[in-house]
Amino acid sequence: MSKYAIWNKQDAVITPIGEVFTAEQWMERYPVARLDNIKVICGAGEINGSFFGTLGQMVSVYEAQGCDFSSCSTDEEKLAAIEAFEEEMSKPDETPTAEERIAAAMEYQVMATLPDVE
């Protein structure tokens, strides 16, 4: 399921605490949403008021972090690229830490000094 969606500036907005806003009330709260040249990003799904952002700003921020939008031709593809980038960046780093490498080296040293069993 997608994390973000482009708000059509007509649907009602429901926040995580259960508040329901008409499109007009949401635009009063976030006046930038009234501008025709701004694409508003909201949360995907029923609780769409869980996020508020603008597509242009999000693309700018994520591009600076290394997200590649070169193959994106639509706004939906840009959102998908952002979500994929976020998912990739949130994966845990599985590179062994310095402590783990030191412990492995010490274990090897101990094993190497043990007498061979015949």
Side-chain angles (χ1 to χ4, degrees):
M1 184 173 142
S2 295
K3 184 177 178 180
Y4 304 115
I6 297 173
W7 184 50
N8 62 11
K9 299 185 181 186
Q10 296 173 358
D11 290 345
V13 176
I14 303 170
T15 67
I17 62 170
E19 290 179 300
V20 179
F21 294 90
T22 65
E24 186 60 33
Q25 290 169 326
W26 196 247
M27 286 189 267
E28 284 175 22
R29 181 174 271 202
Y30 299 104
V32 70
R34 290 187 190 284
L35 301 175
D36 291 333
N37 62 328
I38 300 291
K39 293 205 166 73
V40 175
I41 306 303
C42 63
E46 292 177 337
I47 310 298
N48 56 353
S50 61
F51 180 81
F52 180 90
T54 62
L55 182 61
Q57 185 65 30
M58 287 178 73
V59 168
S60 229
V61 166
Y62 282 90
E63 198 167 41
Q65 293 178 17
C67 187
D68 181 20
F69 294 102
S70 62
S71 64
C72 299
S73 57
T74 66
D75 295 335
E76 286 78 13
E77 288 175 352
K78 290 176 184 177
L79 279 182
I82 288 170
E83 288 185 32
F85 184 78
E86 284 181 346
E87 187 174 307
E88 186 64 32
M89 295 305 291
S90 68
K91 287 183 180 175
D93 183 12
E94 296 181 9
T95 306
T97 65
E99 291 83 5
E100 290 170 327
R101 292 191 307 271
I102 291 168
M106 291 176 74
E107 287 173 13
Y108 174 76
Q109 278 183 324
V110 169
M111 296 284 289
T113 60
L114 291 175
D116 291 333
V117 176
E118 292 182 22

